């Protein structure tokens, strides 16, 4: 028979549920018959703090929140990189490719007559008269529109054009400009930007420097097209 002193020494282990099956059975039998030890056992149970059953769930919630914050940081980082790349691309485009018209000023275009070797219709070559419109300052591109207009019964090749510049052509590369050629030959007209003349049927020629959105000339009547010259600067008129 186990005395009460021994039972009470074992009660803490009994409350923690760490005893063997035989020891727990022994103490349970004693508590069933001893009110004093049972009272001590009840007191210990009331003071014993058990781990809440939802601790694991709370831990899972914390883990989930941590993952969520990590995903948000990744999303913010990726978004910031994408924005930085977009800004860099936009900046590059603005500096090098966003062009604006160059308004005409005195000396902007130099008209020069001369001769050049040209391929004739019969396959031979010959020196022909040429008209070069030259801009020695740097530029980015050129825009133009041309049309053969009948004026007082005579066909005239009417040409409008202007040059454009970007931030880079206006600043950093201004001193390294190469000449701009718009060559017209005596037996025809070359609308290219190169120096090799192209032979076309000869016509009287009028060339104007005019800054305007030339897509608006699509569908425009010949009369209205010719009236645009009043807003331009005449660079050349006549035969080469």
């Amino acid at each position: 028979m186990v005395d009460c002193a021994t039972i009470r020494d074992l009660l803490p282990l009994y409350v923690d549920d760490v005893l063997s099956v035989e020891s727990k059975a022994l103490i349970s039998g004693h508590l069933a018959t001893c009110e004093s030890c049972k009272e001590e056992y009840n007191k210990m149970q009331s003071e014993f703090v058990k781990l809440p059953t939802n601790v694991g769930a709370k831990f899972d919630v914390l883990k989930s929140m941590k993952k969520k914050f990590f995903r948000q940081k990744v999303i913010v980082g990726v978004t910031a990189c994408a924005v930085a790349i977009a800004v860099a691309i936009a900046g590059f485009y603005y500096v090098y490719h966003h062009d604006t018209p160059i308004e005409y000023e005195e000396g902007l275009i130099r008209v020069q007559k001369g001769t050049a070797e040209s391929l004739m219709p019969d396959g031979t070559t010959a020196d022909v008269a040429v008209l070069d419109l030259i801009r020695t300052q740097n530029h980015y591109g050129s825009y133009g529109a041309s049309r053969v207009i009948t004026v007082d019964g005579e066909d005239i090749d009417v040409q409008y054009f202007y040059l454009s510049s970007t931030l880079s052509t206006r600043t950093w590369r201004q001193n390294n400009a190469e000449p701009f050629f718009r060559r017209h030959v005596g037996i025809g007209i070359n609308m290219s930007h190169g120096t090799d003349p192209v032979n076309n049927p000869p016509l009287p020629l009028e060339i104007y420097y005019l800054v305007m959105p030339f897509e608006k000339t699509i569908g425009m009547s010949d009369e209205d097209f010719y009236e645009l010259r009043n807003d331009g600067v005449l660079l050349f008129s006549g035969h080469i």
Side-chain angles (χ1 to χ4, degrees), residues 5-191:
T6 302
I7 293 296
R8 292 187 181 184
D9 288 340
L10 295 174
L11 278 179
L13 299 177
Y14 181 74
V15 172
D16 288 339
D17 196 21
V18 295
L19 292 176
S20 65
V21 176
E22 292 80 5
S23 297
K24 288 193 291 184
L26 179 63
I27 294 175
S28 296
H30 181 83
L31 293 178
T33 58
C34 180
E35 290 296 330
S36 178
C37 289
K38 185 176 182 180
E39 183 179 347
E40 184 68 20
Y41 166 71
N42 291 335
K43 182 179 178 182
M44 285 186 181
Q45 268 200 321
S46 64
E47 293 174 353
F48 180 71
V49 178
K50 291 185 178 181
L51 186 66
T53 57
N54 62 346
V55 168
K58 290 182 178 179
F59 182 71
D60 290 339
V61 171
L62 292 175
K63 286 173 61 178
S64 176
M65 291 177 63
K66 186 176 181 180
K67 289 181 179 179
K68 181 179 179 181
F69 291 146
F70 177 76
R71 286 196 298 268
Q72 288 178 342
K73 289 177 65 176
V74 170
I75 292 173
V76 170
V78 171
T79 302
C81 289
V83 170
I85 292 173
V87 170
I89 293 174
F92 179 85
Y93 174 82
Y94 181 80
V95 171
Y96 291 99
H97 298 289
H98 177 69
D99 61 332
T100 56
I102 300 175
E103 297 292 339
Y104 182 82
E105 59 183 26
E106 191 66 30
L108 176 68
I109 298 292
R110 175 166 54 91
V111 180
Q112 175 178 300
K113 287 189 177 184
T115 60
E117 186 178 82
S118 177
L119 181 66
M120 306 303 289
D122 59 3
T124 62
T125 59
D127 289 338
V128 297
V130 297
L131 177 71
D132 288 334
L133 281 74
I134 305 173
R135 171 180 165 80
T136 56
Q137 297 183 28
N138 207 355
H139 74 284
Y140 174 78
S142 64
Y143 301 87
S146 65
R147 189 180 296 186
V148 175
I149 304 293
T150 301
V151 180
D152 297 330
E154 182 181 26
D155 288 340
I156 301 176
D157 183 21
V158 180
Q159 299 183 16
Y160 304 112
F161 84 102
Y162 71 85
L163 303 177
S164 67
S165 66
T166 63
L167 181 60
S168 64
T169 60
R170 289 193 297 270
T171 54
W172 302 330
R173 297 184 295 174
Q174 188 69 26
N175 296 328
N176 299 322
E178 295 182 357
F180 166 83
F181 290 92
R182 190 182 188 88
R183 172 160 287 185
H184 301 263
V185 303
I187 59 171
I189 301 165
N190 175 19
M191 287 296 293

